[in-house]
Structures are given as structure tokens and as C-alpha cells.
Amino acid sequence: MSTFTELRVSDIRFPTSRDLDGSDAMNPDPDYSAAYVELVTSDGDAGYGLVFTIGRGNDVQSAAISALSGHLIGRDVEDTLADLGALSAQLIGDSQLRWLGPEKGVMHMAIGAVVNAAWDLRARREGKPLWLLLAELTPEQIVDLVDFRYLSDALTRQEALEILRGAEPGRAERIAALRAGGIRAYTTSPGWLGYDDEKLVRLLREARAEGFEMVKLKVGADVEDDARRMRIAREEMGDGYPIAMDANQRWDVADAITWLQRMAPYQPAWIEEPTSPDDVLGHAAIRRAVAPLPVATGEQMQSRIIAKQLLQAEAVDVLQLDATRVGGVNENIAILLLAAKFGVPVCPHAGGVGLCELVQHYAFFDAAAVAGDHPQRFIEYVDHLHEHFEDPVIIDEGSYRAPDAPGSSARMHPESMDRHLFPGGEIWVEQDHVAIA
Amino acid sequence: MSTFTELRVSDIRFPTSRDLDGSDAMNPDPDYSAAYVELVTSDGDAGYGLVFTIGRGNDVQSAAISALSGHLIGRDVEDTLADLGALSAQLIGDSQLRWLGPEKGVMHMAIGAVVNAAWDLRARREGKPLWLLLAELTPEQIVDLVDFRYLSDALTRQEALEILRGAEPGRAERIAALRAGGIRAYTTSPGWLGYDDEKLVRLLREARAEGFEMVKLKVGADVEDDARRMRIAREEMGDGYPIAMDANQRWDVADAITWLQRMAPYQPAWIEEPTSPDDVLGHAAIRRAVAPLPVATGEQMQSRIIAKQLLQAEAVDVLQLDATRVGGVNENIAILLLAAKFGVPVCPHAGGVGLCELVQHYAFFDAAAVAGDHPQRFIEYVDHLHEHFEDPVIIDEGSYRAPDAPGSSARMHPESMDRHLFPGGEIWVEQDHVAIA
């Protein structure tokens, strides 16, 4: 019998604000960071997970993860991994910690990282990539992972079972096709607000040359700048090439509508996060007003309860789950099932630290065993920080290749961790020297 | 010139789980706690604030507060206190910390505690109780405190100004009347789930004898128990006496409707938190189904953005703001203005550690300068832990007496802090001895 012996948490930060990589209308100078989890067992194994943050507060996020260690240490590994629905329910159900959310923010993301680390370990032990492990579970095993509390007015356990059973025919063929062809990526690399027009054009050309069939531009800081950048991008990429826009929550409802009317000539593929991620009714009002321009959101969607309402209110055309915002794999399965019920495509959010590595597993699982094929399926891609991961994503001709290595692709290289540990790692000690000099 | 020199944070916990005080359907064994803030100035002054939690995780909440100290230390005290709208905006706008919410959960509650401590200091310096300080500001000064981002589809700055100007006539008379008569309290003390029927009856009698004109019972663990306890309470208090029920988020939409139909014979005054605090559409569906039974919620409402939607969706009959859940005084002013706009009464949530002390200021301010008089105005009251505060609430014949001491009533006795400091305080060291023995 093996037990969990340590929940090791590391505050890892990358000084990305130096180059304005990742700059958008709400996040002018992020230092991409990870509160990184190693869930260690008595037989020397470990599972890996993380919460992506953008700098300050990564220590708070780390403290929240550490607060969960009492639920893990000493616990039987086999029993735990055999019933990860129970682990998720226990962590979310800790009545004292629940007060700090409930099911939202720092404490909920902490739960997600720990749940994900347990899934990572299970997938490593079973020798499968996470997406395939999930896709090969039975419909009953999958629904057992889901907490249907607060969902049953939109999705019952029985309805979820029917969705999954409906996807069983053809599943093996879809898995084979996914392994052969992957899933299309779109790239946000050209579109950061901090880049000048010349860099924008250069990166757009590179994106097309690399085979990407969609790109995304950040907008929302200045309407004239946005119109110019969208015009440049449309001219560069030609009619019909999908160019999405991302406002990162910049607007109120009326602002969004006015701004988006100004953008209509450039035929955006979608408008992402036009307003607060918590404003379900606001998204619905914007969507009604700017139709047929599609509305996308979800990267900061706090839980399946907001996902449910976005779908009920017909507030979104595209749902963008994130790997480290909600309570982990289990809650993201609930979100995939909700989206499938409402017929809304899921195009995961990525970028940051390790998000491309993590979210690809949801898209492949969704395509294999939940929603199945659909023409709008894309995974976001940003060419950034992948070198720090042991199993980095592989992009082939603008598509994510199906992950093949066992696990959830969350493991970081030990040398990368050492170097970027905050505040003592080499990169931060150097930074301080620069600042002082 | 004085500056802020320290943001001192203390992890204070009361071992309330020993007596099942505070037990409800979702929180069976809370240890009422406070992440307690002392915002210290260079001339030896201090402002006080706190976040109420229920035990585990109070350390995480404390860490989140400490993460804000860079925004305060070295800052000019006079300038800061003269523009607390700017302080609030700066803390909420920290783009890196914002990622940890945004505007929700641990990080947002931390901001609230710091903003509240600054308000406490300002009120102490001006020699006024917080409610009166706020009530005596001009409408322009009040709206300058509010962040209208994400609100303007429901409430503009101009509309807020008109609400406040509309309340100016008669304000002096209302303040005089509030000082003379106070605001009615309802008490939850009889209704905790952990109490047996005999204790319930005894406490109901005491409540009536003490002059309370409304009581509240916790429900949601077992429908037969709830029916029995509501029947007992109705028989004891008689027809027409308001008896509210609080389900503490226990139900899905369909469960809530079924359960509440079973309770109809006992004429509950309202049903509070029938489902997730994040489920705006769920509350609206329940409200439509159980009408005319009023629906109340808000103690775990994460922000003004959820408040806005609860009102837009006609999901609530009573809005129950909390003093330490949102981003502090400024955001609660926004919530009061939203409720006034929609004509929904605000009956603040209290209990816990210091919540009665803190929330009373919102009710008195609302009655004096925002919504004015209305017959449904109550403040929750629980007779619990007040002895630890320097300016405890005073209940006279079932009503809160208007607070008179300068400040926001948040200051705890130093001896109470020492004794309940976690884990080193006397009460916890004793607890450990008991546990070991």
C-alpha cells in the first residue's frame, strides 16, 4: 500500500512583463506564473498540477493549495485514484474552506490544481495520456466523476449518460482520426496589444505560413487602434480568414455594443470576453445586440454554475473552458457535458504557463467521447514557455498533435523550476540586480 | 504628514464548533474566525477591518490581505482617506492580483477588509460612526466612491445621483428618528440546526420576550425535521409572526421547489439562499415557482455584478448584503444603490464574528440617505461573540440602537485577540490539551 506523503507547492514566476508578451486591455504587464503542485507518494511517484496566475498573488495561490494538504497526506493512493469523484467532492465539500468561495476564486483554483495532480498521477500510472484515459472510461464511470449539484435544472445525470452513450458509436474511429490529424489550433501570438503594427504584420504572415487557420487579436484599449489593427489584419489575411477578437472584460454592455459596431466591417470571427466573466445577463444582452457576430467567453468562468447560466441564457456561441480556473478535471467534464447538451462548441483557452499543455486534453476528450466532431473546434495556441515542460505541446501544420505521453502534460523541468522559483531563483535574483543597477 | 506604516494581519479563531452554534445545512461545524486587519499609521493611529471565515482557510485569507500591503505602506494617510474611491479602485485594479478573482473570493474579500479598515480610520478621525459619516456626504461625494464598471446597463452614475438627491429631503429627520428608535432586528439565535426542539422553543420564547419581531430558522438538512421545526415555531409564535427560513444553498432548483411547497402551511416570511449564491437564473426560477413566498439572498453574493443580475432577473424579494464578502464599503454602497433603483429592500446578513457590528452601519446609512424608510427593513442579529468587540452592538427591545462611537465598530479587544490567536493563543493551546487528553 502506498500513501500520499507530500503536497509540495512551488511559487514559479516568469518575468514576461519585460517584453509585453501577454499584454492585453486589462493585463498590461503580466509576469506569467504558476503555483505548481507535486503530489508525492510513498513509493516515489508524483502527480503534477498547477494554477496559472500572472504574478503578484502567486504566493497567496500557493498558500491556498497548501491548505488542502490535510485532505491528502496519509491517504491511500490506489483508493484515491480509483475514485477521483470522491476526492473532488471531499475537497469541494470541506465546509470550512467552502466559505472562502464557495466554488470560486483562489480556493477553488487550489482544489483544481490538486484534483488535476491526482489525475496526472493516475494517467501516468495507467500509461495513458489523460484525454485517452478519460475517453476510454464508460459513460457510467464518467458521470460518476461529476458533481451535478446546482446543475440539474439544465443537465441531469441521466441526460449526461445519454450524451455519452450517444457518442459511443464511432468513438474508436474518432480516436484514430484524432491521433492521425490532431485538432486545429488558432494562435494569439500575433495579437498582443503591446506589439506595434510592423510586428503584428510579421507575426500574422508567420502564423499563416505555419499553417494556422485562425488568429486572434487583443482589443479594447483604444477603439481607433483596434480598428486600424483589425483593418491591417483583414487586409493581410484576406476575406474569409477567421480573425477573432478578445476584449478581456474591458467593456460595459453599451460600450461593447458601440465598439463592436465599429469593428463589423472587419468581420471578426468572434468577440471574446466583451464584459465581466460574471455577467451572464450582460453577455446575453451583448450577443443579442451584435448578432450575428458570435460571442465567446469562459477563460475566467469561475465554475460549472456560471457555465450553466451562460448556456441557459443563450449568452455564448463558443465556450472557452480553462484548465486551471475551475475545480479541475471533474468540473471541466461537467462543463463539456453542459456545452454538449446545449450544442455549443468548446474551444479551450490557452497560453499562460502550461495551459496549452493542459487544455489540449479536454479538447481531445471532448472530440473523442462527448461532443464528437464539429467544424468549429479549435484550441487556442500561444508559442510561449513550452520549453519549460517535459511533454510540451506539438503543433503540426497549425494543429495540436494528440498528446501521447502518459499523464496530463503538466510536469515542468526541474531546472526550469529552480531557475524561476520566486523570489530566490536565479532569474529573479538577476532581475533584482538589474533593477538596482 | 503621516503615512501608513503597517498592515498587521491576525488569524483569530473561536472554537464555536464545540457547541454547534452556527450550524446549518452546509456548515455543520464552523469555528467562527476572523482574518483581522490593523492598518497602522506613523502617528500611532489605526483603522480596523476583518474578513469573517469559519475556520480552516483563515490563514489563506490572512495571506491574501498581507499581499496588499505594498499598496498601503508608505502612502500618505490624509490623501488616502480623502479619496477612498481611489484606494478601492487601485486595489481592485491591481492587474496581477485581479487574475485571482476577478472581484470574487479570497482576494476580493481581502481588498474589502483593507478598504473597510481605511474607512474605519477615517470615521475615527472624523469622530463619527461610519453610517453617519456616509449619510452626511453629498450625493456627488457618494457616487465618486462607486465603481460603475459593469453596472451601467442597470445603474448609471446619473441615476445613482438622482436616487441620492431624492433622499435628501427629510434626511435630517430620518437621522434623528434612527437615533431615537434604531432599526428592527430579527434573530437567528433560536434556529441553528444543531439545537433540539426543546432548546428551539425556549429560545423562541426568549426572542419574543426580548422584543424581536421576526426570527429565522435554518432548514435544508431533512425535510421532515424542517416541517416539524417550522410547525413548532409557528405554533409557538402564532399566526402572522414573521418566521424566515434559511437553506444555506442546500438545494437544486427542483429540490427547492418541492421542499418549499412542503413548508407552505407554515407561512415562512422568506426563503433564504435556496440554492447556489452564484445561480442568478436558479434563484429566479425558484422565485417564480414558489411565489408569493419571498426569496432572499446575498450573504455570499460575491460582488455588485451578481447583485445587479439578481435584480435584473427579478430573482429576489430581499437583498442581504454582507460586510466582509465584497470589496468593502465602496462596493456595498453600489449594492445599496442598485437595490434602491430596483425597489428591493436590503436586510443585511449578520452573525459570525463582528458582522452585526459591521453591517448595522449599512442599514442605518441606507435608511438615512439611500432607500429611506421602508417597512421591511430588518437587520439580522445573532447573540454571539459581541463581547470581543470594543463597541459591540446594542439591542434595545428587538432593535439595533444607532451606533454612536466613532468608527465602523470593527475593533476587537486586544485581550480577545491574544486569547484566540491561531494556533498559539490560549484557547487553542487548551483545545489541543483537551484533544490529546
Side-chain angles (χ1 to χ4, degrees):
Chain A
M1 171 183 143
S2 65
T3 58
F4 291 111
T5 53
E6 191 184 356
L7 183 67
R8 196 181 298 151
V9 186
S10 306
D11 181 347
I12 308 289
R13 307 192 194 190
F14 299 89
T16 50
S17 61
R18 288 190 290 192
D19 299 323
L20 297 185
D21 298 329
S23 55
D24 65 46
M26 294 293 270
N27 307 295
D29 57 352
D31 284 324
Y32 279 7
S33 303
Y36 184 75
V37 176
E38 297 165 271
L39 178 57
V40 183
T41 76
S42 56
D43 44 21
D45 245 357
Y48 304 90
L50 61 87
V51 177
F52 169 56
T53 81
I54 62 172
R56 280 185 297 283
N58 204 46
D59 50 342
V60 178
Q61 188 58 61
S62 299
I65 296 169
S66 296
L68 295 166
S69 63
H71 287 284
L72 275 302
I73 305 306
R75 190 177 176 127
D76 183 84
V77 175
E78 289 305 317
D79 289 355
T80 302
L81 298 185
D83 188 359
L84 288 172
L87 175 67
S88 169
Q90 179 181 334
L91 295 176
I92 289 172
D94 180 317
S95 64
Q96 295 189 357
L97 292 177
R98 188 179 183 279
W99 191 268
L100 301 181
E103 301 192 52
K104 64 179 67 76
V106 168
M107 205 62 238
H108 199 50
M109 295 193 284
I111 290 170
V114 172
V115 166
N116 287 350
W119 275 106
D120 181 77
L121 177 59
R122 177 165 162 186
R124 285 173 197 280
R125 288 196 166 196
E126 295 192 22
K128 291 179 187 173
L130 174 64
W131 72 274
L132 189 63
L133 186 169
L134 295 174
E136 292 180 350
L137 295 176
T138 66
E140 289 73 14
Q141 288 172 320
I142 294 172
V143 296
D144 283 347
L145 297 170
V146 171
D147 180 1
F148 286 94
R149 173 169 277 187
Y150 305 138
L151 296 190
S152 63
D153 55 324
L155 178 75
T156 63
R157 181 187 160 89
Q158 186 58 36
E159 289 172 321
L161 267 178
E162 283 159 21
I163 289 166
L164 293 164
R165 286 179 186 146
E168 283 187 304
R171 190 170 67 177
E173 293 75 13
R174 283 196 303 278
I175 290 175
L178 287 163
R179 282 175 153 161
I183 290 177
R184 285 186 303 171
Y186 73 85
T187 175
T188 309
S189 292
W192 302 109
L193 276 187
Y195 294 173
D196 62 27
D197 292 352
E198 201 178 343
K199 187 166 182 179
L200 168 65
V201 169
R202 178 167 54 80
L203 294 174
L204 284 170
R205 286 179 188 166
E206 286 177 18
R208 193 170 38 195
E210 288 163 13
F212 290 102
E213 295 177 22
M214 176 169 162
V215 295
K216 190 168 78 184
L217 268 57
K218 299 288 182 176
V219 298
D222 179 278
V223 69
E224 294 308 322
D225 280 349
D226 290 348
R228 191 189 69 255
R229 294 168 70 252
M230 279 299 287
R231 180 177 50 71
I232 291 170
R234 177 54 65 210
E235 285 171 6
E236 180 59 38
M237 306 307 270
D239 273 354
Y241 185 97
I243 305 170
M245 304 192 313
D246 184 353
N248 290 90
Q249 314 171 16
R250 188 63 172 71
W251 302 314
D252 278 28
V253 171
D255 306 333
I257 294 167
T258 309
W259 204 292
L260 291 170
Q261 282 161 348
R262 184 90 170 72
M263 298 298 135
Y266 313 112
Q267 308 146 44
W270 73 50
I271 177 63
E272 179 173 327
E273 285 203 313
T275 191
S276 163
D278 310 327
D279 195 348
V280 170
L281 300 179
H283 276 87
I286 293 166
R287 181 169 178 266
R288 282 192 301 272
V290 304
L293 169 53
V295 171
T297 199
E299 72 172 80
Q300 293 195 9
M301 182 172 67
Q302 68 196 34
S303 73
R304 71 198 184 286
I305 302 160
I306 300 294
K308 178 188 75 165
Q309 293 177 84
L310 287 168
L311 295 162
Q312 288 174 315
E314 301 184 1
V316 288
D317 299 274
V318 175
L319 201 63
Q320 304 176 290
L321 60 75
D322 181 274
T324 81
R325 180 64 60 177
V326 300
V329 169
N330 298 61
E331 187 161 13
N332 266 326
I333 293 173
I335 291 170
L336 291 174
L337 287 164
L338 281 162
K341 163 83 187 286
F342 284 86
V344 167
V346 174
C347 296
H349 166 247
V353 178
L355 296 184
C356 298
E357 279 67 27
L358 294 171
V359 300
Q360 60 180 340
H361 290 275
Y362 295 107
F364 279 91
F365 165 59
D366 188 35
V370 187
D373 295 322
H374 67 72
Q376 292 148 297
R377 190 182 301 288
F378 275 98
I379 309 172
E380 184 166 18
Y381 176 68
V382 184
D383 184 11
H384 203 194
L385 305 178
H386 301 291
E387 65 276 20
H388 301 294
F389 286 83
E390 204 169 64
D391 300 308
V393 295
I394 299 174
I395 303 292
D396 256 355
E397 278 296 307
S399 287
Y400 276 79
R401 193 190 288 173
D404 199 39
S408 70
S409 316
R411 188 173 188 186
M412 224 178 259
H413 288 301
E415 318 81 72
S416 289
M417 293 176 58
D418 288 349
R419 190 164 153 73
H420 295 91
L421 199 67
F422 185 85
E426 192 184 329
I427 199 87
W428 292 106
V429 174
E430 286 170 10
Q431 281 276 99
D432 286 347
H433 290 166
V434 171
I436 291 162
Chain B
M1 171 184 143
S2 65
T3 58
F4 292 111
T5 52
E6 191 184 356
L7 183 67
R8 196 180 299 151
V9 187
S10 306
D11 181 346
I12 309 288
R13 307 192 194 189
F14 299 89
T16 49
S17 61
R18 289 190 290 192
D19 298 323
L20 297 184
D21 298 330
S23 56
D24 65 46
M26 294 293 270
N27 307 296
D29 57 353
D31 284 324
Y32 278 8
S33 303
Y36 184 77
V37 177
E38 298 166 272
L39 178 57
V40 183
T41 76
S42 57
D43 44 20
D45 245 357
Y48 304 90
L50 61 88
V51 177
F52 169 56
T53 81
I54 62 171
R56 279 186 298 283
N58 204 46
D59 50 341
V60 178
Q61 188 59 61
S62 299
I65 296 168
S66 295
L68 295 165
S69 62
H71 287 284
L72 275 301
I73 305 306
R75 192 176 175 129
D76 183 85
V77 174
E78 289 304 317
D79 289 354
T80 302
L81 298 184
D83 188 358
L84 288 172
L87 176 66
S88 170
Q90 180 182 333
L91 296 177
I92 288 173
D94 180 317
S95 64
Q96 295 189 356
L97 293 177
R98 189 179 182 278
W99 191 268
L100 301 181
E103 299 191 54
K104 63 178 70 72
V106 168
M107 205 62 238
H108 199 50
M109 295 193 284
I111 290 170
V114 172
V115 167
N116 287 351
W119 275 106
D120 181 76
L121 177 59
R122 176 164 161 186
R124 286 174 196 279
R125 288 196 166 197
E126 294 192 20
K128 293 179 186 173
L130 174 63
W131 72 274
L132 189 63
L133 186 169
L134 295 174
E136 292 180 350
L137 295 176
T138 67
E140 289 73 14
Q141 288 172 321
I142 294 172
V143 296
D144 283 347
L145 298 169
V146 172
D147 180 1
F148 286 94
R149 173 170 277 187
Y150 305 137
L151 295 190
S152 63
D153 55 325
L155 179 74
T156 63
R157 182 186 160 89
Q158 187 57 38
E159 288 171 322
L161 267 178
E162 284 159 20
I163 290 166
L164 293 164
R165 286 179 186 146
E168 282 187 302
R171 189 171 68 179
E173 293 74 13
R174 283 196 304 277
I175 290 174
L178 286 164
R179 282 178 154 157
I183 291 177
R184 286 185 302 171
Y186 74 86
T187 176
T188 310
S189 292
W192 302 110
L193 276 188
Y195 293 173
D196 63 26
D197 291 352
E198 201 177 343
K199 187 165 182 179
L200 168 66
V201 169
R202 178 166 55 79
L203 293 174
L204 285 170
R205 286 179 190 167
E206 286 177 18
R208 195 172 34 197
E210 287 164 13
F212 290 102
E213 294 176 22
M214 176 168 162
V215 295
K216 189 169 78 184
L217 268 55
K218 299 289 182 176
V219 297
D222 179 279
V223 68
E224 294 308 322
D225 279 349
D226 290 348
R228 191 188 70 254
R229 294 167 70 251
M230 279 298 287
R231 181 177 48 72
I232 290 171
R234 177 54 64 212
E235 284 171 7
E236 180 58 37
M237 306 307 269
D239 274 352
Y241 185 98
I243 304 171
M245 304 192 311
D246 184 354
N248 289 91
Q249 315 171 15
R250 189 64 172 70
W251 302 313
D252 279 26
V253 171
D255 305 334
I257 294 167
T258 310
W259 203 293
L260 291 170
Q261 281 161 350
R262 183 91 168 73
M263 299 299 135
Y266 314 110
Q267 308 146 45
W270 72 50
I271 177 62
E272 179 173 329
E273 285 204 312
T275 191
S276 163
D278 310 327
D279 196 349
V280 170
L281 300 179
H283 276 88
I286 293 166
R287 180 170 179 265
R288 282 192 301 272
V290 304
L293 169 52
V295 171
T297 200
E299 73 173 79
Q300 293 195 8
M301 181 172 68
Q302 68 196 33
S303 73
R304 72 199 182 287
I305 302 160
I306 301 293
K308 178 188 75 166
Q309 293 177 85
L310 287 167
L311 295 162
Q312 287 175 315
E314 301 184 1
V316 286
D317 298 280
V318 175
L319 201 64
Q320 303 176 290
L321 60 75
D322 181 274
T324 82
R325 180 64 62 175
V326 301
V329 168
N330 298 61
E331 187 160 14
N332 267 326
I333 293 173
I335 291 170
L336 291 173
L337 287 164
L338 281 163
K341 163 83 187 286
F342 284 85
V344 167
V346 174
C347 295
H349 166 248
V353 178
L355 297 183
C356 298
E357 279 66 26
L358 294 172
V359 299
Q360 60 180 340
H361 291 275
Y362 296 106
F364 279 92
F365 166 58
D366 188 36
V370 187
D373 295 320
H374 68 72
Q376 294 149 295
R377 190 183 302 287
F378 276 98
I379 308 172
E380 183 166 18
Y381 176 68
V382 183
D383 184 10
H384 202 194
L385 306 177
H386 302 291
E387 66 275 20
H388 302 295
F389 286 83
E390 203 168 64
D391 301 308
V393 295
I394 300 173
I395 303 292
D396 254 354
E397 279 295 308
S399 286
Y400 277 78
R401 194 190 288 172
D404 199 39
S408 70
S409 315
R411 188 175 188 184
M412 225 179 259
H413 288 302
E415 318 80 73
S416 290
M417 292 177 58
D418 288 349
R419 190 164 152 73
H420 295 90
L421 199 67
F422 186 85
E426 193 185 326
I427 198 88
W428 291 105
V429 174
E430 284 170 12
Q431 279 277 100
D432 286 347
H433 290 165
V434 171
I436 290 160

